[in-house]
Amino acid sequence: MRSVSVIGIGETQMGRFPARSLREMVSIAGEKAILDAGVEKKEIQALYIGNFVAQQLCGQGHMGSQASEVLGLGNIPTVRTEAACASGSEAFRMGLIAVMSGIYDIVLVGGVEKMTHRNTETVTEAIASAMDYELEMMEGFTFPANFAMIASRYFHEYRNVKREMALCAVNAHHNASLNPDAQMPKEVTLEAVLSAQRIADPLSIFDCSLVTDGAAFVVLATTEIAKRLGRHRVVEVIGSGHAGDVITLAAKKSITSFAAATSAAAQAYKAACLGPGDIDLAEVHDCFTITQIINIEDLGFFERGHGGDAVAEGVTALGGKKPINTSGGLKAKGHPIGATGISQIYEIVTQLRGDAGPRQVRKADIGLTHNLGGTAGTCLIHIFRGE
Amino acid sequence: MRSVSVIGIGETQMGRFPARSLREMVSIAGEKAILDAGVEKKEIQALYIGNFVAQQLCGQGHMGSQASEVLGLGNIPTVRTEAACASGSEAFRMGLIAVMSGIYDIVLVGGVEKMTHRNTETVTEAIASAMDYELEMMEGFTFPANFAMIASRYFHEYRNVKREMALCAVNAHHNASLNPDAQMPKEVTLEAVLSAQRIADPLSIFDCSLVTDGAAFVVLATTEIAKRLGRHRVVEVIGSGHAGDVITLAAKKSITSFAAATSAAAQAYKAACLGPGDIDLAEVHDCFTITQIINIEDLGFFERGHGGDAVAEGVTALGGKKPINTSGGLKAKGHPIGATGISQIYEIVTQLRGDAGPRQVRKADIGLTHNLGGTAGTCLIHIFRGE
């Protein structure tokens, strides 16, 4: 297997852009990534694109072909992947495997989502297609409801971490205030989060991630090509893990730890020959604040039941020992679902290159992305090293 | 790269089964394929599933995770691919690359579609998500309209092949009459086809493929494992081609030859070290009868403008020199969109194993599948050899 690196990155501003088309967002982020890589379009040999709900919300499928037309990529093969909120990371892994294995040398990988032009009910129903339609959606389940049950169970098994969950939101908004691409770049206070409107007990509105329009793209190439280009610090993909689980909440063995995440993490650490202690910073899938606490435990950063302690002690804050979601995360940078996994990688590469400006982490050599799909029915984890 | 073979196949009856759930179809076809392969479920390391419109018609996304739950595959990684009507073949190629490259040794690949429970208008709109929503769908384009323009252009550039198109339908229905899984297993006469109701001139209803519920699965493994199992004639995947094109009809350089198909064919022939003359039989994407004529020219089986002659001379019929769509094709076996690419492979493997009963092709050593997405915005071609 060949070593693979990220040679170019690009993303749109994240936010509410109901007048922006899928084509426009693909064009902005895709062109940025290609320009950043410094390669010619004719050198790109394949396109992988993650998208979750454009078929339901925009009437648009076959987005590989559409994106290829928008970006003028000729007759290259294209693939759309969909695994709910992990759609982007699946595109990344498919592109990674193709370059690792020698099928292609340079590929473009992206994700895009357009959501805010539709009303809340329509968006909620579309997002619910990530769960089982007959067994969950038709019974009235929604994602806030699912993750409220997960939080309640976590409180039962360990302790009430409502305050620590609120601190996750406070951190996320602080980091987002330093990220020009963030949807909600404004600070919030602990008191504001704790007194916010309830959505599904114990989750309040500040415990939930955002509905976002946006796109993100990266260019992957062999590390040999990355070194030859010499434009940026080389950011090598040193570990990739991909695992799954049953789709329904009720069928899971545990809901306070996600089997897909622990399995994907083990694969990624093994491939990278590293452990949790070696990771300088991580972007994790904080679809809800409770999810962030579970994720940092699943990744082995902190002991079971103690993720909240780490948050309370400032370990996961921007200046802490293990900064989490320096971008602002799904919570405050935004959650353009099909693009989320790629936007996480955008942040890690930006940090490893030392280009993160006021939110730059001092020691940023090894970064990790953790992307969940649905109620943790899918998880992809990638580890990156700045050379 | 390692040699990869198809070690198990399974499909459902194709047809109108509005009461069958996605789960039920996945279960039927997936369990058949695993049983046919003779492997344990715990030996399957990943699942790739093609689906086109379940999000729109069934409210169901994240189908990798759902299918894994249905089939009891534990925590293996899953991927859903979507490239309109080529969704199934994209899943196949992703699985193939993973086994070729040594990531996994045994993977399950499938496709499923559920369509007939919704009304015609809803289904037509969902299918149109394979074209550009803003530039085509909103202007009133539908797939019969697109392919009617393609047929008209073909008539203009070469000659009127309305009668030859009708003969494609006659052949398809004859072959389907010998296929127990076919949706329309009844013979039709040339006169009946030529006098049938017009849909979009020059296409009549018998020029159009079917709306179908169904699923198909295959198990892929290294050829070494296939030989060790020794259950069936080993069917090796000796060539894979994947190419794309712009999504919109108006942006294509030619619409009487599909650039995605000629590029994918060149890749597959090169990988297999074979040419068009070496192919004993093929399943090609006859979404419309005119498409079959263009496809057999794009594959190099016949000269430009002469595909219709070959059909008229009986070359592509079941007893002919180059039998096309022995299954009945999309036209008469059915077109369960996300499953179509896998069902094509099901037929080729069945033929290469010598298990096709009354529709068995006498010399069936090398077979080819050709699967288009949208208005030929995507094409995947695979070549198989019985060892």
Side-chain angles (χ1 to χ4, degrees):
Chain A
M1 293 290 187
R2 306 188 301 178
S3 167
V4 179
S5 292
V6 180
I7 64 167
I9 58 173
E11 72 177 14
T12 62
Q13 169 78 46
M14 303 300 168
R16 298 182 70 86
F17 303 106
R20 271 195 181 169
S21 67
L22 290 163
R23 282 179 167 259
E24 192 178 345
M25 292 191 283
V26 164
S27 176
I28 293 169
E31 295 285 358
K32 274 188 190 174
I34 296 166
L35 192 69
D36 183 63
V39 296
E40 302 285 327
K41 284 186 178 177
K42 65 183 180 205
E43 295 178 89
I44 296 168
Q45 296 168 292
L47 168 66
Y48 300 82
I49 188 164
N51 171 266
F52 178 33
V53 284
Q55 289 187 284
Q56 288 147 291
L57 299 184
C58 311
Q60 189 64 60
H62 205 189
M63 294 190 58
S65 180
Q66 189 191 47
S68 178
E69 175 173 326
V70 168
L71 296 168
L73 299 178
N75 290 113
I76 64 168
T78 69
V79 178
R80 172 197 164 199
T81 54
E82 185 271 310
C85 308
S87 299
S89 290
E90 284 214 339
F92 185 82
R93 183 169 156 96
M94 294 303 105
L96 175 68
I97 288 174
V99 180
M100 282 171 68
S101 64
I103 306 267
Y104 307 119
D105 296 321
I106 303 178
V107 302
L108 181 64
V109 180
V112 62
E113 210 70 70
K114 174 171 168 61
M115 308 178 74
T116 69
H117 63 303
R118 303 298 295 271
N119 66 41
T120 304
E121 196 176 312
T122 305
V123 171
T124 302
E125 192 173 330
I127 293 174
S129 70
M131 54 177 68
D132 193 281
Y133 183 81
E134 290 170 28
L135 303 181
E136 297 186 307
M137 163 75 186
M138 289 297 282
E139 301 297 328
F141 284 58
T142 63
F143 277 102
N146 267 15
F147 280 87
M149 286 189 275
I150 288 168
S152 299
R153 182 72 201 178
Y154 187 97
F155 292 5
H156 172 77
E157 288 185 22
Y158 302 108
R159 67 180 179 84
N160 184 312
V161 290
K162 186 97 190 78
R163 187 170 172 278
E164 290 77 4
M165 286 160 54
L167 286 168
C168 290
V170 171
N171 286 346
H173 280 272
H174 173 69
N175 296 349
S177 76
L178 306 172
N179 182 354
D181 292 337
Q183 180 169 3
M184 286 209 175
K186 58 178 181 186
E187 304 261 5
V188 295
T189 63
L190 181 60
E191 295 66 37
V193 178
L194 286 171
S195 61
Q197 183 196 346
R198 286 287 161 90
I199 297 295
D201 193 70
L203 304 181
S204 75
I205 194 154
F206 277 112
D207 291 301
C208 306
S209 57
L210 309 175
V211 173
T212 307
D213 305 312
F217 277 76
V218 299
V219 182
L220 283 176
T222 61
T223 299
E224 194 188 325
I225 291 173
K227 287 182 176 163
R228 195 161 65 224
L229 287 166
R231 289 168 62 89
H232 306 284
R233 184 182 192 194
V234 170
V235 175
E236 187 186 355
V237 190
I238 58 171
S240 174
H242 184 191
D245 200 356
V246 289
I247 190 168
T248 53
L249 182 72
K252 288 182 202 294
K253 286 179 186 156
S254 166
I255 60 171
T256 57
S257 165
F258 301 129
T262 53
S263 172
Q267 292 168 38
Y269 287 135
K270 188 180 171 193
C273 301
L274 293 175
D278 299 307
I279 306 299
D280 294 324
L281 75 165
E283 291 283 306
V284 307
H285 195 88
D286 60 332
C287 50
F288 299 92
T289 52
I290 184 64
T291 328
Q292 175 171 156
I293 290 174
I294 292 173
N295 297 341
I296 58 182
E297 296 176 10
D298 282 341
L299 287 166
F301 293 165
F302 309 106
E303 281 180 32
R304 288 281 162 215
H306 292 281
D309 300 341
V311 175
E313 290 159 11
V315 179
T316 62
L318 192 49
K321 279 189 186 166
K322 192 74 96 180
I324 301 295
N325 293 2
T326 55
S327 69
L330 287 59
K331 175 69 204 81
K333 181 199 63 192
H335 186 16
I337 304 181
T340 287
I342 306 298
S343 181
Q344 291 180 322
I345 293 165
Y346 178 95
E347 175 68 11
I348 291 297
V349 173
T350 301
Q351 289 279 358
L352 297 194
R353 284 182 181 176
D355 293 341
R359 68 182 192 285
Q360 180 65 48
V361 170
R362 194 169 306 193
K363 181 183 179 305
D365 294 317
I366 297 176
L368 177 149
T369 59
H370 162 290
N371 191 195
L372 291 178
T375 317
T378 297
C379 185
L380 290 104
I381 290 170
H382 287 95
I383 303 176
F384 303 83
R385 183 171 58 206
E387 302 285 324
Chain B
M1 293 290 186
R2 307 188 299 178
S3 166
V4 179
S5 292
V6 180
I7 64 168
I9 59 172
E11 73 177 15
T12 62
Q13 169 77 46
M14 302 301 169
R16 296 183 70 86
F17 301 108
R20 271 195 182 169
S21 66
L22 290 164
R23 283 180 166 258
E24 192 178 346
M25 292 190 285
V26 164
S27 175
I28 293 169
E31 295 284 359
K32 272 188 190 173
I34 296 166
L35 192 69
D36 183 62
V39 297
E40 302 285 325
K41 285 185 177 178
K42 66 183 179 205
E43 295 179 89
I44 295 168
Q45 294 168 294
L47 168 66
Y48 300 82
I49 188 163
N51 171 265
F52 178 33
V53 285
Q55 289 186 285
Q56 288 147 291
L57 300 184
C58 311
Q60 187 65 60
H62 206 190
M63 293 188 60
S65 180
Q66 188 190 48
S68 179
E69 175 172 326
V70 168
L71 295 168
L73 300 178
N75 290 114
I76 64 167
T78 68
V79 179
R80 171 197 165 200
T81 55
E82 184 271 311
C85 309
S87 299
S89 290
E90 284 214 338
F92 185 83
R93 183 168 156 97
M94 295 303 105
L96 175 67
I97 289 174
V99 180
M100 281 170 68
S101 64
I103 306 266
Y104 307 120
D105 297 321
I106 302 178
V107 302
L108 182 64
V109 179
V112 62
E113 211 70 69
K114 174 171 169 61
M115 309 178 74
T116 70
H117 63 303
R118 303 298 294 270
N119 66 42
T120 304
E121 196 177 313
T122 306
V123 171
T124 301
E125 193 173 327
I127 293 173
S129 69
M131 53 176 70
D132 193 281
Y133 183 80
E134 290 169 29
L135 303 182
E136 298 188 306
M137 164 74 185
M138 289 296 282
E139 301 297 328
F141 284 58
T142 63
F143 276 102
N146 268 15
F147 280 88
M149 286 189 274
I150 288 168
S152 298
R153 182 73 201 176
Y154 187 96
F155 292 4
H156 172 76
E157 289 186 20
Y158 302 108
R159 66 178 179 85
N160 184 313
V161 291
K162 185 98 189 78
R163 187 170 171 279
E164 290 77 4
M165 286 159 55
L167 285 169
C168 289
V170 171
N171 285 347
H173 280 273
H174 173 68
N175 296 349
S177 76
L178 305 173
N179 181 354
D181 291 339
Q183 181 169 2
M184 286 209 175
K186 57 177 179 186
E187 305 261 4
V188 295
T189 64
L190 180 60
E191 295 67 36
V193 177
L194 286 172
S195 62
Q197 183 197 345
R198 286 286 161 91
I199 297 295
D201 193 68
L203 304 181
S204 75
I205 193 153
F206 277 113
D207 290 301
C208 307
S209 57
L210 310 175
V211 173
T212 307
D213 304 313
F217 278 76
V218 301
V219 182
L220 283 176
T222 61
T223 299
E224 193 187 324
I225 291 173
K227 287 182 176 164
R228 195 163 63 225
L229 287 167
R231 289 168 62 89
H232 306 284
R233 185 182 189 194
V234 170
V235 176
E236 189 186 354
V237 190
I238 58 172
S240 174
H242 184 191
D245 200 355
V246 290
I247 190 169
T248 54
L249 183 71
K252 287 182 202 294
K253 287 178 186 156
S254 166
I255 61 170
T256 57
S257 166
F258 300 131
T262 53
S263 172
Q267 293 168 38
Y269 287 136
K270 188 179 172 194
C273 302
L274 293 176
D278 299 308
I279 306 299
D280 294 324
L281 77 165
E283 292 283 307
V284 307
H285 194 88
D286 59 334
C287 50
F288 298 93
T289 51
I290 185 63
T291 327
Q292 175 170 155
I293 290 175
I294 292 174
N295 297 341
I296 59 183
E297 296 176 9
D298 282 342
L299 286 165
F301 293 165
F302 310 105
E303 282 181 30
R304 289 280 162 218
H306 292 282
D309 300 342
V311 175
E313 290 159 11
V315 179
T316 62
L318 191 50
K321 278 187 186 167
K322 191 75 94 180
I324 301 294
N325 292 2
T326 55
S327 69
L330 286 59
K331 174 70 204 81
K333 181 198 62 191
H335 186 15
I337 305 181
T340 286
I342 307 297
S343 181
Q344 291 179 321
I345 294 165
Y346 178 95
E347 175 68 10
I348 292 297
V349 173
T350 302
Q351 288 280 357
L352 298 193
R353 284 183 182 175
D355 292 340
R359 69 182 191 285
Q360 180 64 47
V361 170
R362 195 169 304 190
K363 181 183 178 305
D365 293 319
I366 297 177
L368 177 150
T369 58
H370 162 291
N371 190 195
L372 292 177
T375 317
T378 297
C379 186
L380 290 105
I381 290 172
H382 287 96
I383 303 176
F384 302 84
R385 182 171 59 206
E387 303 285 325

